[in-house]
């Protein structure tokens, strides 16, 4: 399988398994979208990790041969289906990036909620060099980076390392390459101490803040708090545990 799914409890890992560069062709994008759609329906999933096989690349992007006119529509529809599903995933998504993360690979990684990058990772959107542009990045980055920084990346196609990606806000955390896996384990250990039910609602609330004007987002988040959060077993457990001065025992519901 070009996209390998492994599972450990409430954590799933999708590995782009087409080394050395994990190039995304249409069959691989179809498999990725299908796997993500299955995971979106899994209420027990708490964390999804997205990574590339090997150390040379997360992914160096979408296959050049799939940019020809007769394949272009199928490529875009399949890729964007995967990206939409990833963005809609109720569980927390974490991209772990080392090596090349270019073009569609960069779009895929930065569509995740969180991104851990090695300092020597290489990000870039080189589509302009081929006479095209990355539609998902053009849709996602202006809100995240601002118009000027988005145009900088898309118009120049320049490369940036993990540290600059972190400074721009594209990478949530960075780590030295030799410390990347330990940092990953530490992050997962922390996230797994939280209630999966509450984490889903936090993610839903943050999406409201991302997409709506402040007053509308605040009203939407009041509704989430009162109608969804307040009825969870884990909110009551958290309050009880605090009052009783004991660790919470989450039910994840």
């Amino acid at each position: 399988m070009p996209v390998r799914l492994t599972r450990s409890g409430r954590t799933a890992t999708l590995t782009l398994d087409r080394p050395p560069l994990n190039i995304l062709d249409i069959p691989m994008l179809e498999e990725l979208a299908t796997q993500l759609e299955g995971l979106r329906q899994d209420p027990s999933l708490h964390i999804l990790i997205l990574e590339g096989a090997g150390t040379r690349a997360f992914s160096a992007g979408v296959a050049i041969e799939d940019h020809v006119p007769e394949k272009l529509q199928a490529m875009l529809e399949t890729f964007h289906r995967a990206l939409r599903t990833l963005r809609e995933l109720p569980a927390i998504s974490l991209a772990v990036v080392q090596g090349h993360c270019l073009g569609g690979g960069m779009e895929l990684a930065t569509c995740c909620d969180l991104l851990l990058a090695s300092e020597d990772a290489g990000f870039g959107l080189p589509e302009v060099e081929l006479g095209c542009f990355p539609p998902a990045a053009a849709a996602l980055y202006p809100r995240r980076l601002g118009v000027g920084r988005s145009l900088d990346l898309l118009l120049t196609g320049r490369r940036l390392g993990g540290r600059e990606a972190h400074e721009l806000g594209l990478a949530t955390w960075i780590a030295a390459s030799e410390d990347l896996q330990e940092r990953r384990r530490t992050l997962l250990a922390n996230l797994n101490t939280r209630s999966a039910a509450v984490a889903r609602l936090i993610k839903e609330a943050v999406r409201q803040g991302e997409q709506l004007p402040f007053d509308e987002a605040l009203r939407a988040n009041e509704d989430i708090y009162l109608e969804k959060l307040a009825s969870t077993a884990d909110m009551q457990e958290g309050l009880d545990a605090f009052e009783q001065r004991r660790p919470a025992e989450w039910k994840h519901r």
Side-chain angles (χ1 to χ4, degrees):
M1 281 290 191
V3 181
R4 180 162 34 91
L5 173 64
T6 55
R7 189 72 184 256
S8 177
R10 292 180 174 273
T11 299
T13 302
L14 282 178
T15 304
L16 307 176
D17 197 3
R18 198 183 177 199
L21 296 179
N22 301 313
I23 297 294
L24 303 165
D25 61 8
I26 291 175
M28 189 172 179
L29 292 171
E30 180 68 39
E31 176 65 19
L32 177 62
T34 300
Q35 294 276 19
L36 287 168
E37 286 165 350
L39 292 168
R40 184 177 57 186
Q41 304 304 318
D42 185 347
S44 70
L45 183 65
H46 181 26
I47 301 166
L48 169 66
I49 301 167
L50 192 59
E51 63 182 7
T55 59
R56 284 191 59 190
F58 174 84
S59 170
V62 177
I64 294 296
E65 59 267 26
D66 289 338
H67 283 74
V68 296
E70 60 270 24
K71 293 184 177 181
L72 203 53
Q73 183 172 351
M75 180 272 289
L76 287 175
E77 288 178 352
T78 307
F79 186 32
H80 293 169
R81 176 181 144 214
L83 295 182
R84 288 188 182 97
T85 306
L86 179 60
R87 293 268 295 169
E88 294 165 1
L89 194 71
I92 300 164
S93 56
L94 168 65
V96 179
V97 175
Q98 56 184 331
H100 300 293
C101 187
L102 304 174
M106 182 172 171
E107 291 178 298
L108 179 60
T110 54
C111 268
C112 288
D113 301 316
L114 305 168
L115 194 157
L116 169 63
S118 64
E119 289 183 335
D120 59 358
F123 294 86
L125 298 166
E127 284 87 343
V128 68
E129 299 168 13
L130 305 175
C132 52
F133 75 94
L140 183 64
Y141 292 178
R143 190 182 293 266
R144 183 179 296 184
L145 305 179
V147 172
R149 287 177 172 174
S150 300
L151 285 171
D152 169 26
L153 297 180
L154 272 69
L155 288 173
T156 68
R158 70 182 181 86
R159 307 300 195 267
L160 52 155
R163 186 165 296 280
E164 186 177 0
H166 179 251
E167 291 170 352
L168 287 174
L170 291 171
T172 319
W173 308 281
I174 57 168
S177 57
E178 63 271 21
D179 298 329
L180 185 67
Q181 294 308 315
E182 181 57 33
R183 181 70 165 131
R184 167 183 163 159
R185 284 189 288 271
T186 301
L187 289 170
L188 287 176
N190 180 281
L191 292 171
N192 274 310
T193 65
R194 313 304 178 190
S195 160
V198 175
R200 286 172 178 240
L201 295 178
I202 290 172
K203 178 172 172 176
E204 183 179 345
V206 169
R207 283 283 186 260
Q208 301 299 325
E210 177 189 31
Q211 297 166 4
L212 298 175
F214 175 76
D215 285 345
E216 292 179 35
L218 188 59
R219 283 193 292 271
N221 288 344
E222 287 173 356
D223 292 341
I224 292 170
Y225 201 106
L226 294 171
E227 297 173 10
K228 297 182 179 181
L229 179 66
S231 64
T232 63
D234 281 347
M235 180 174 176
Q236 187 60 54
E237 168 60 16
L239 295 170
D240 290 345
F242 179 81
E243 289 181 354
Q244 298 164 18
R245 298 187 179 184
R246 61 171 175 80
E249 297 179 4
W250 304 122
K251 299 175 175 61
H252 302 292
R253 54 183 175 82

